[in-house]
Amino acid sequence: MTTSSSNAPLERIAGGDAVRGAARGLRGRDLRGRSRRPGPGGGLRRPGFLTYGFLGAVVLGAVFPLYWSLLVGSHDSTVLSRGVPLVPGGNFLANAAQVMDSIPFWKAMGNSVLVSTVTAASVVLFSTLAGFAFAKLRFRGSKALLVFVIATMAVPTQLGVVPLFIVMAKFGWTGSLWAVIVPGVVTAFGVFWMTQYLRDALPDELIEAVRMDGASMIQAFWHIGLPAARPAAAMLALFTFVATWTNFFWPFIVLDPSNPTLPVALQLLQSAHFVDYSVVLTGAVLSTVPLLLLFVVAGRQLVSGIMQGAVKG
């Protein structure tokens, strides 16, 4: 008893030395155990003034158009003739009510939600299928076909408007939302995006193991390929949703004013001889709110999915 009690302080000292030694060993290493390069002064390198200044300028450039729209939209129609406003006014709700009375706002909002959601879901599904085939299946002409798909991104959209409108008229879809949804069910960018991601993120050995267990190729895609592609699919869905939501050119051509998407409906605010920019910019702010909510709700999940994909890669 006396010997053990006398050795207790020595054991605590030895334990403290071991902990301090481990801490010294881990010092200068990141979470993965890699050594971190010290800066000129012996410490870690940190972003400098130019980095923060550049990032601040980018943030201001991205936020300023929305702030300017909110600023002008919160005043009356004479705001621009009185000079540049510096603070928001109190007419935003009145201008919002005028927007909803002037155009079929809620119908256009519902059409935009429907078109953007269906298009994003179809692009993710078909692009992941095609990307899985190009990345993991071996068939004759796969490389040439992938190059051809990528080359279609160089063709301007305006060149295909006339033949596409003729096809939609043959189907009887002019004025219908199908004319906006069907041409965008899959994109060349989505196929290229998913092909590049699955080529590195999904091991061939995993697919071979699933095939040896008796699974078909479509089962391997559904149970192995699709879960592995979740981070890239989330980003592709977000990009597609935003691009479809803000698309104006093709819906303006093929849809009727009585059944518009939101960008087409907002254009009706400028059809009069006198354009009230406070009302127009109020409509622009209202059309941006759903996208901001989407980023707020799905932003954390998207970032976590990207980080998981990066760590697995």
Side-chain angles (χ1 to χ4, degrees):
M1 295 295 294
T2 305
T3 303
S4 61
S5 62
S6 61
N7 291 336
L10 297 177
E11 294 175 355
R12 287 195 294 268
I13 294 174
D17 292 340
V19 171
R20 285 191 291 272
R24 285 195 297 269
L26 292 175
R27 188 175 301 153
R29 294 181 177 272
D30 60 9
L31 295 177
R32 296 187 180 183
R34 298 174 299 192
S35 60
R36 293 179 291 189
R37 184 180 299 177
L44 298 178
R45 290 182 177 178
R46 296 183 177 180
F49 175 77
L50 293 178
T51 302
Y52 284 113
F54 175 75
L55 293 177
V58 171
V59 171
L60 289 177
V63 173
F64 179 76
L66 181 61
Y67 176 72
W68 174 256
S69 300
L70 179 62
L71 202 63
V72 176
S74 60
H75 290 79
D76 55 17
S77 58
T78 62
V79 57
L80 296 179
S81 62
R82 290 184 278 113
V84 179
L86 299 178
V87 294
N91 291 346
F92 184 81
L93 294 180
N95 291 336
Q98 185 174 349
V99 169
M100 297 176 187
D101 292 337
S102 303
I103 60 176
F105 180 82
W106 293 112
K107 183 177 182 179
M109 175 77 75
N111 289 342
S112 290
V113 171
L114 178 62
V115 170
S116 300
T117 303
V118 174
T119 303
S122 64
V123 166
V124 168
L125 177 60
F126 293 118
S127 297
T128 308
L129 274 169
F132 181 81
F134 282 123
K136 297 303 174 182
L137 301 184
R138 302 294 180 264
F139 56 93
R140 182 176 299 178
S142 61
K143 293 183 179 179
L145 184 58
L146 180 60
V147 171
F148 174 77
V149 171
I150 297 173
T152 59
M153 292 191 293
V155 180
T157 306
Q158 292 79 2
L159 292 181
V161 167
V162 174
L164 185 59
F165 185 85
I166 294 174
V167 171
M168 294 298 109
K170 293 289 185 180
F171 288 158
W173 287 351
T174 54
S176 172
L177 295 181
W178 288 110
V180 182
I181 295 175
V182 172
V185 293
V186 65
T187 60
F189 172 77
V191 174
F192 173 73
W193 176 278
M194 299 308 299
T195 300
Q196 293 300 110
Y197 183 84
L198 289 174
R199 184 170 291 169
D200 297 329
L202 187 60
D204 294 337
E205 296 77 9
L206 189 58
I207 300 177
E208 293 174 0
V210 174
R211 294 283 289 161
M212 290 180 65
D213 288 340
S216 63
M217 188 57 69
I218 191 65
Q219 289 175 332
F221 165 78
W222 188 259
H223 296 287
I224 302 298
L226 197 59
R230 188 176 301 171
M235 292 303 300
L236 179 61
L238 179 62
F239 292 156
T240 305
F241 188 93
V242 173
T244 307
W245 184 275
T246 57
N247 187 20
F248 171 78
F249 181 70
W250 175 244
F252 177 73
I253 294 175
V254 77
L255 293 180
D256 297 331
S258 59
N259 189 33
T261 56
L262 202 52
V264 177
L266 294 178
Q267 189 270 341
L268 299 176
L269 296 174
Q270 306 181 55
S271 59
H273 294 287
F274 171 73
V275 179
D276 189 348
Y277 286 102
S278 62
V279 176
V280 173
L281 293 179
T282 299
V285 172
L286 293 177
S287 67
T288 309
V289 170
L291 297 181
L292 297 178
L293 294 178
L294 176 64
F295 276 97
V296 169
V297 172
R300 182 171 299 178
Q301 287 78 7
L302 291 172
V303 173
S304 62
I306 295 172
M307 296 303 298
Q308 289 177 2
V311 172
K312 290 179 182 179

